[in-house]
Amino acid sequence: MTDATTSALPDAHPLVSGRTAGSPLVRALRGDRPDTLPVWFMRQAGRSLPEYRDLRVGTAMLDACLDPAMASEITLQPVRRHGVDAGIFFSDIVVPIKLAGVDVEIVPGRGPVLGSPVRTAADVEALTALDPTSLAPITEAVARTVAELGDTPLIGFAGAPFTLAAYLVEGGPSKDHIRARTLMHADPETWARLLDWAADVSGAFLRAQVTAGASAAQLFDSWVGSLSRADYLAHVAPHSARALSHVSDLGVPRIHFGVGSGEVLHDMTTLGGDTVVVDGVGVDWRIPLDEAVRRVGTDVTVQGNIDPAMLSAPWSVLEDHVRDVVRRGGAARAHVVNLGHGVPPETDPDVISRVVELVHALGDGRTVGEPA
Ligand code: 1CP
């Protein structure tokens, strides 16, 4: 866990200078219950916003990520529009692997696609380390963003080694990540080398964002739900720990998120050890938050878990659901309200703004009663 007093961050960093240390997000991640619940949304930047679609015309996704002015503007758009309690840095989990020399692009409507998949020991051997100077556009975009955000914290993020490996081995989006899971068992040494490489690339990307001004760090293991618990513990958790270790000396709150993570929710907080090593755990929509708290205990803040499907339901249905999420989150030491996964592209942005207003009207989250 993190402690601001042991931070190796520069004095001007928002977390150290005091700009964001008292923000609802940072307080909640550190285990406190602020008067107002913090709320932000995964995939709040991009896709559902018309101002995003206008700005992106004619620019490929990864080019947008590497254009500091554009990445910064897209990060700020949902903060201005919705009044959320944090910005999430506009980038992608494959940006650092591209900067490390992997031939990858993001195909519209599909996702990350590789020129050639990484499937053999020789393929893994050929991967090269990330040159830290290549992260300059990321550092610049974060610095610009943080200068505009004032007291609102920016969340930096990276892909967890397993989720990155799911793209690297498959060569693109896949359903059950069969080829990746086969490699894990067929050639565990090559698998371990691949995940260590991915951990270091993601770790450097995360560290660059935090040192440039991000006040929290989230590791996305979006596809962890395809793993058994035994495989998670033996073949994945140690590498996720390695990715997060890249920021452990910085005293920044760390959040770990996965989809379909019920079987491994507790392990995602301990990364296979005996004690909780992250500050927040993201919960998808499948498990009610009070049940999640039963699984992870009260040494960690929970984040989540509005069902993204509810965003297009009638307001009264969505409102009841949000109140229920907040009420169940009352079982946790602290709660950061979010979705159980990302904002669907077809979501009406006004609905998101309305959810923010509702959450902010619910106080510290512990006064929301049973539905009438
Ligand atoms: O053309 C477009 O508009 C591209 C769509 C898009 C966007 C806006 C992609 C392609 N990535 C992003 C931004 C992005 N990706 C962010 C920053 C903005 C925000 O969250 O508000 C973040 C944090 C990510 C992280 C990411 N990329 C994850 C982990 C989070 C998650 O959603 O599970 C994953 C799995 C990816 C891969 C990816 N990139 C893009 C797509 C469509 C996908 C998923 C593909 C698949 O289903 O396998």
Side-chain angles (χ1 to χ4, degrees):
M1 278 197 281
T2 54
D3 177 354
T5 57
T6 60
S7 174
L9 292 171
D11 289 349
H13 189 284
L15 209 50
V16 181
S17 71
R19 255 166 61 195
T20 59
S23 65
L25 178 88
V26 171
R27 283 180 58 194
L29 289 172
R30 291 193 164 143
D32 197 9
R33 273 212 172 244
D35 295 342
T36 309
L37 284 173
V39 52
W40 69 280
F41 301 93
M42 292 182 280
R43 298 195 192 155
Q44 69 187 18
R47 292 172 273 208
S48 67
L49 296 187
E51 57 270 36
Y52 165 76
R53 293 195 291 263
D54 289 350
L55 194 63
R56 272 285 316 284
V57 171
T59 308
M61 174 64 190
L62 289 175
D63 292 339
C65 294
L66 294 172
D67 175 335
M70 197 179 280
S72 172
E73 171 58 20
I74 296 171
T75 303
L76 293 165
Q77 284 175 343
V79 182
R80 285 192 208 111
R81 184 193 261 265
H82 304 306
V84 280
D85 294 281
I88 172 87
F89 181 53
F90 177 80
S91 194
D92 195 84
I93 59 171
V94 298
V95 165
I97 66 173
K98 182 185 169 70
L99 295 176
V102 172
D103 175 13
V104 57
E105 60 174 317
I106 293 184
V107 176
R110 191 156 171 235
V113 175
L114 274 82
S116 50
V118 179
R119 292 193 181 149
T120 65
D123 293 341
V124 173
E125 214 51 59
L127 294 168
T128 51
L130 180 72
D131 171 1
T133 61
S134 69
L135 290 164
I138 304 303
T139 309
E140 189 187 331
V142 169
R144 278 172 180 253
T145 308
V146 168
E148 298 283 324
L149 276 173
D151 297 345
T152 303
L154 177 70
I155 301 171
F157 77 92
F162 173 70
T163 289
L164 280 178
Y167 291 106
L168 288 161
V169 179
E170 302 287 342
S174 64
K175 196 161 170 289
D176 298 317
H177 324 301
I178 293 278
R179 283 196 187 90
R181 291 189 296 109
T182 298
L183 180 65
M184 175 192 297
H185 294 290
D187 187 349
E189 288 80 27
T190 296
W191 174 259
R193 277 204 302 282
L194 174 62
L195 265 73
D196 275 346
W197 177 84
D200 290 342
V201 166
S202 268
F205 179 57
L206 200 56
R207 189 175 180 90
Q209 294 166 68
V210 173
T211 51
S215 293
Q218 176 158 320
L219 194 69
F220 280 96
D221 209 349
S222 300
W223 310 140
V224 74
S226 70
L227 293 167
S228 70
R229 178 166 186 241
D231 285 348
Y232 182 71
L233 289 172
H235 298 291
V236 171
H239 306 285
S240 301
R242 178 169 172 144
L244 283 172
S245 75
H246 282 259
V247 294
S248 52
D249 62 320
L250 299 179
V252 67
R254 301 181 302 178
I255 309 164
H256 199 185
F257 167 77
V259 180
S261 57
E263 287 297 312
V264 294
L265 200 60
H266 175 69
D267 306 308
M268 288 182 75
T269 70
T270 59
L271 293 170
D274 296 331
T275 54
V276 171
V277 294
V278 296
D279 303 274
V281 63
V283 182
D284 84 357
W285 66 92
R286 292 173 177 87
I287 305 176
L289 286 183
D290 44 356
E291 169 58 20
V293 172
R294 209 185 56 70
R295 296 185 194 188
V296 300
T298 49
D299 287 340
V300 66
T301 297
V302 298
Q303 177 172 280
N305 70 346
I306 298 167
D307 183 345
M310 290 283 197
L311 295 174
S312 296
W315 173 253
S316 61
V317 175
L318 174 58
E319 177 174 0
D320 284 352
H321 176 60
V322 172
R323 286 177 180 275
D324 186 56
V325 165
V326 167
R327 187 173 56 76
R328 292 176 190 275
R333 69 169 192 181
H335 179 196
V336 175
V337 180
N338 204 313
L339 302 178
H341 197 186
V343 178
E346 61 281 4
T347 305
D348 174 355
D350 291 344
V351 171
I352 298 278
S353 300
R354 209 169 164 188
V355 171
V356 173
E357 261 174 59
L358 170 62
V359 171
H360 285 164
L362 296 178
D364 73 358
R366 286 213 159 129
T367 51
V368 181
E370 298 290 334

